[in-house]
Amino acid sequence: MNSDSPQAKPAVRLRSEGAVDEETLAYARTKIDAVVGRTGLPTVSGEVRVVRAGTHHVDRPWSATADLRVGGRQVVVIAEEATGTVLVDRLQDRLRRQTDKAAQSWDDGHRTTAPPWRGGGLPPASEDPGAA
C-alpha cells in the first residue's frame, strides 16, 4: 500500500506493509516532512517504509526503514518499537540526527582525499623540499 498524498513531498515516498492504520501514516508523513523539509538541507530523496508484523507474539511488531539520499550522501535509519506512534517518534529523532550529519558534511565539503598513488596528499613540486 502506498500512501502518497498530494501535499506530500514527491522526493520522499512513504510506504506501508501490514495492518498500518491511516492515522499512523498521517503522523509519520507529518514527522518525516518536518525532518526533510527543513531549510538548509540539500536535496533529499528516497523512501520510508513502515511495517506492522501480523504475528501477535512479537515484542516489537512495528518497524520502519528509511533509505534516503541527502545531497550526495546515503542515510539509512532503522527503528523497531511496540506502538506506531513511538516508532514514528524514534524514527524522526534518528532521521534528524543522521540528516544533520549528512548536511554538515555536505556543507563543509568533506571529501576523502585520493591515496598517494593516485596523486592525492602530495605537496606541489614548489613545496617539495627534495626538489631543489
Side-chain angles (χ1 to χ4, degrees):
M1 173 177 151
N2 292 341
S3 63
D4 295 327
S5 59
Q7 71 271 16
K9 289 197 169 286
V12 177
R13 194 169 186 181
L14 177 62
R15 300 176 62 110
S16 66
E17 291 180 18
V20 180
D21 56 302
E22 291 297 322
E23 183 179 313
T24 302
L25 286 176
Y27 186 64
R29 173 52 65 194
T30 303
K31 295 293 190 166
I32 292 166
D33 286 347
V35 172
V36 301
R38 293 175 296 154
T39 58
L41 281 182
T43 305
V44 179
S45 63
E47 179 177 275
V48 176
R49 185 177 300 260
V50 177
V51 178
R52 184 173 183 188
T55 57
H56 300 290
H57 65 279
V58 178
D59 290 338
R60 296 180 186 169
W62 290 86
S63 64
T65 305
D67 186 3
L68 304 177
R69 297 289 298 174
V70 179
R73 302 189 57 101
Q74 183 176 20
V75 173
V76 177
V77 176
I78 299 171
E80 291 181 341
E81 287 299 330
T83 66
T85 305
V86 174
L87 172 79
V88 172
D89 290 339
R90 173 87 37 134
L91 181 69
Q92 181 191 25
D93 291 342
R94 290 179 179 177
L95 270 176
R96 182 176 303 275
R97 194 169 43 235
Q98 293 299 322
T99 56
D100 285 348
K101 283 182 181 180
Q104 181 180 6
S105 66
W106 179 75
D107 286 341
D108 291 345
H110 288 124
R111 303 278 187 254
T112 57
T113 58
W117 59 87
R118 291 198 176 160
L122 296 177
S126 62
E127 294 178 16
D128 190 8

